[in-house]
Amino acid sequence: MSAAATPVARPRVALALGSGSAKGMAHIGVIAALEEAGFEISAIAGSSIGALVGGVYALGKLAVYRDWVCSLDKLDVLRLVDWTLTGAGLIKGERIIATVRDLVGESDIENLPIGYTAVATDLERQREVWISRGPLFDAIRASIAIPTVFHPYEIDGRRLVDGGLLNPVPVTPLLRERYDYLIAVSLDGPRRGDSKPVAEPAPRDPYRQRFTSFMQHITGHHAPVEPEPKPAREPNWINLMGQTMDMMQGNLARLRLAAYRPDLLIELPGDCCAVYEFYRAEEMIALGHAEAAHLLAGWPNAHALPVGATAPVVAHGNSDRGGDHG
């Protein structure tokens, strides 16, 4: 009688989810592609929208959140905004947090089944904070607090704002976790508009041009004057804010990723979605899935484990998840 087959351990992934507002819905598609490829996500660190999606995934409710966010239209998104004319931001941010919390439930971070860290920024100390204990949605609320848009959020006497200000793609909190591969997702990749080659005008024959000008002069017939192109529309304040944040965070992310290189970097185009376009969630999820699946198909480590092999689990630094950093 043959011995019972030993179950094959799936490769464990520590996943860094970057900031990027509505573009962050692409994280849902990336996670789906990783699971389809046979990886086990054992730890997540997220900044801003990455903290939200990563937290809901760690809670085991990502499918519920995905179905809800894909049902939103423009009016639904506006209804989730609690505007205010007082304080340090235009939006309180309590309504969206309460809505998602009611949808998926709450948990203390230390009770989650996988490692989880939300990255925020301490305004007074001007340092990043790694939140890895306490109520999950307190950590998420602090991490998504885009300055001047959302009110800062106070935890333990510290005024916290968006984690993407100092760590847009938070690889560093994951170095203390146990994993086989570290994968990072940046929402500030090469812009699709910038990647298109600019067509140069076809060279004109100087003799033909002179002849045409001469004939127009003697006949009195001139080519119609083409209207001047209309100037580009001025971006509104929220688009300008989004473009400014993308530029700053994109440059910072590249510097930090050069210092702490993940095993695989998945990049989404920086101009694939405006900051407020959560009603395009289904499109962003599909884009994230497509980009991740394409990269994984050509990544040697995705096919490195032979059938029946057990993935080694390597400790990278201290695996203790308790406490904040900074």
Side-chain angles (χ1 to χ4, degrees), residues 132-200:
S132 52
R133 63 161 60 104
L136 174 64
F137 277 92
D138 281 0
I140 291 172
R141 173 62 182 84
S143 187
I144 67 169
I146 302 171
T148 74
V149 177
F150 288 100
H151 282 200
Y153 195 73
E154 187 170 310
I155 296 179
D156 296 333
R158 293 182 290 187
R159 292 174 64 237
L160 304 178
V161 294
D162 195 307
L165 289 179
L166 294 181
N167 201 346
V169 186
V171 167
T172 43
L174 295 170
L175 299 179
R176 57 186 177 172
E177 301 287 350
R178 293 169 62 84
Y179 58 84
D180 300 301
Y181 304 113
L182 198 159
I183 296 177
V185 185
S186 171
L187 303 176
D188 292 303
R191 300 169 72 86
R192 291 187 296 192
D194 295 344
S195 63
K196 296 178 182 178
V198 179
E200 297 182 0

Side-chain angles (χ1 to χ4, degrees), residues 19 28 43-44 52 121 137 147 162-163 173-174 239 255 261 287-288 310 325:
S19 59
I28 301 173
I44 287 183
L52 173 58
T121 301
F137 277 92
D162 195 307
L174 295 170
N239 281 330
L255 289 172
R261 293 183 181 275
L287 177 63
T310 300
H325 168 83

Side-chain angles (χ1 to χ4, degrees), residues 57 171 205:
Y57 175 81
V171 167
D205 185 339

Side-chain angles (χ1 to χ4, degrees), residues 3-201:
T6 304
V8 178
R10 294 188 296 163
R12 306 208 319 175
V13 165
L15 184 61
L17 299 179
S19 59
S21 299
K23 292 182 291 185
M25 296 301 97
H27 289 320
I28 301 173
V30 171
I31 289 171
L34 287 170
E35 291 189 327
E36 290 168 8
F39 292 99
E40 175 190 352
I41 299 172
S42 59
I44 287 183
S47 286
S48 197
I49 190 65
L52 173 58
V53 173
V56 174
Y57 175 81
L59 199 58
K61 299 289 186 178
L62 191 58
V64 175
Y65 176 79
R66 178 201 62 213
D67 293 344
W68 171 75
V69 78
C70 286
S71 72
L72 299 179
D73 58 24
K74 292 182 181 180
L75 189 57
D76 294 325
V77 173
L78 284 174
R79 289 195 186 103
L80 291 169
V81 178
D82 43 0
W83 299 101
T84 178
L85 298 178
T86 61
L90 296 173
I91 301 171
K92 293 179 182 178
E94 306 309 321
R95 186 177 299 166
I96 177 60
I97 288 295
T99 300
V100 179
R101 185 194 290 117
D102 291 344
L103 180 71
V104 301
E106 175 67 284
S107 172
D108 286 339
I109 295 173
E110 53 267 37
N111 294 331
L112 294 173
I114 66 172
Y116 173 80
T117 303
V119 177
T121 301
D122 186 325
L123 274 176
E124 275 71 31
R125 295 197 295 169
Q126 300 180 16
R127 297 174 68 178
E128 67 180 275
V129 177
W130 299 353
I131 308 173
S132 52
R133 63 161 60 104
L136 174 64
F137 277 92
D138 281 0
I140 291 172
R141 173 62 182 84
S143 187
I144 67 169
I146 302 171
T148 74
V149 177
F150 288 100
H151 282 200
Y153 195 73
E154 187 170 310
I155 296 179
D156 296 333
R158 293 182 290 187
R159 292 174 64 237
L160 304 178
V161 294
D162 195 307
L165 289 179
L166 294 181
N167 201 346
V169 186
V171 167
T172 43
L174 295 170
L175 299 179
R176 57 186 177 172
E177 301 287 350
R178 293 169 62 84
Y179 58 84
D180 300 301
Y181 304 113
L182 198 159
I183 296 177
V185 185
S186 171
L187 303 176
D188 292 303
R191 300 169 72 86
R192 291 187 296 192
D194 295 344
S195 63
K196 296 178 182 178
V198 179
E200 297 182 0

